[in-house]
Amino acid sequence: MSYLTPPLGRLVGAFQKLPGIGPKSAQRLAFHILKQPQSTVEELAQALLDAKAQIRFCSICSNLSAQDPCELCTHPQRSKATICIVADSRDVLALEKTHEYTGSYHVLQGLISPMDGIGPEQLKIRELVQRLREHLQADGQIDEIIFALSPSIEGEATTLYLSKLLRPMQIRMSRIAYGLPMGGDLEFADEVTLARAMEGRQEI
Amino acid sequence: MSYLTPPLGRLVGAFQKLPGIGPKSAQRLAFHILKQPQSTVEELAQALLDAKAQIRFCSICSNLSAQDPCELCTHPQRSKATICIVADSRDVLALEKTHEYTGSYHVLQGLISPMDGIGPEQLKIRELVQRLREHLQADGQIDEIIFALSPSIEGEATTLYLSKLLRPMQIRMSRIAYGLPMGGDLEFADEVTLARAMEGRQEI
């Protein structure tokens, strides 16, 4: 695309590096930017730089935040005695949207995946163990650790690894239910989901 | 989404203002940005600011460019005697990709659309008329004006308006062919396209 005027070419190139944005979308976004008022463009540019510069891992839960400790770790109404373990900061957002959970989180920032060269040491597991130890040493109580990882090979492996690792601490551990999604049709559910739903059946 | 740490919330908000990017995509892009190296993020921010600051309308053809006159207007091998009229700078890119056209362009930066309050005076039509006049007065020759506007109501109206406006200059005018697209199936073509294809039939 040598006929693109250089600053436009660079912008299209930069947009194309974003996930899910192909050459056509990148071009459309770039032309959209040119039509926006100066202030809107500056706002986006500043938001990019600010987010990158200000957001760090929370030193307690490893969630992404501009504060340290993060908003959730410092929230007075969140229980420190229940810790929900998730893979990604986006999972925290998803769980927060349910408005059901009032405990704390620990974000692993990934899942164990030997195929991608991700072992336990690449995840925020050392931070989790240290957090639990410090909490228990300070006479804090931990009622429950809830594993909320995706029902994938990586998710299962990570849950298994962590449950073994944390077993000596004698904390109650649970994992979120796997089964039919709400509104899902039993007829169209895959075998593994159905098998898990049968396994996880609850008394009524 | 008050549980988003503020700089992240602002970035998600800024992404969401882009066309075709909903809340989920905006969130995905924002988290992607956090995982990128500082240099990549700065590159995108700078590309945004540069494109906005440096790109202007070419004073000859009204195309968007960082140069004035633009790369195409100053290109030594592009004929000034043939002018292709398009609605948008993206149309120039689309035509350039064919590598078939070696004349100049004039970008209207829109189409006449009374429904959207866009009349001839909002388009780069004054610039076109002045360009043609100056060119003819300087004893320059114009062989042909090619209308390459979309086959829509707005495109047709704009072609009609301009062809009437330019008629007194006695320049040969043409418009690109409307018909079956390559690889298209006659059976599935709509009536209007088929009628246009019949009308525009050529001797073989």
Side-chain angles (χ1 to χ4, degrees), chain B residues 5 13-14 16 23 25 27-28 36 46 57-58 60 63 66 91 95 103 109 116 144 147 151 160 164 183 187 198:
Chain B
T5 193
Q16 239 180 290
S25 306
Q27 203 176 290
R28 190 166 53 115
Q36 295 311 296
Q46 198 55 49
F57 293 129
C58 165
I60 299 178
N63 193 3
D91 301 334
L95 283 163
Q109 296 295 345
D116 304 312
E144 189 174 2
F147 289 92
L160 194 69
K164 276 190 183 166
E187 188 184 356
M198 284 297 276

Side-chain angles (χ1 to χ4, degrees), chain A residues 2-40:
Chain A
S2 57
Y3 42 88
L4 272 181
T5 193
L8 192 58
R10 282 196 297 274
L11 182 57
V12 171
F15 272 132
Q16 239 180 289
K17 284 184 191 159
L18 297 176
I21 294 184
K24 281 260 172 183
S25 306
Q27 203 175 290
R28 189 166 53 116
L29 290 176
F31 278 105
H32 172 85
I33 287 294
L34 295 182
K35 286 185 186 145
Q36 295 311 296
Q38 182 73 24
S39 60
T40 310

Side-chain angles (χ1 to χ4, degrees), chain A residues 3-8 17 19 27 31-32 34 36 38 43 51-52 54 65-66 71 88-90 93 97, chain B residues 3-7 17 19 27 31-32 34 36 38 43 51-52 54-55 65-66 71 89-90 93 97:
Chain A
Y3 42 88
L4 272 181
T5 193
L8 192 58
K17 284 184 191 159
Q27 203 175 290
F31 278 105
H32 172 85
L34 295 182
Q36 295 311 296
Q38 182 73 24
E43 217 172 84
K52 186 65 196 165
Q54 297 171 13
S65 177
E71 290 89 342
D88 198 284
S89 292
R90 275 172 288 184
L93 295 183
K97 270 188 200 147
Chain B
Y3 42 88
L4 271 181
T5 193
K17 285 185 189 158
Q27 203 176 290
F31 278 106
H32 172 84
L34 295 182
Q36 295 311 296
Q38 182 73 22
E43 217 172 81
K52 186 64 195 167
Q54 297 170 13
I55 296 175
S65 177
E71 290 89 343
S89 292
R90 274 172 288 185
L93 294 184
K97 271 189 200 148

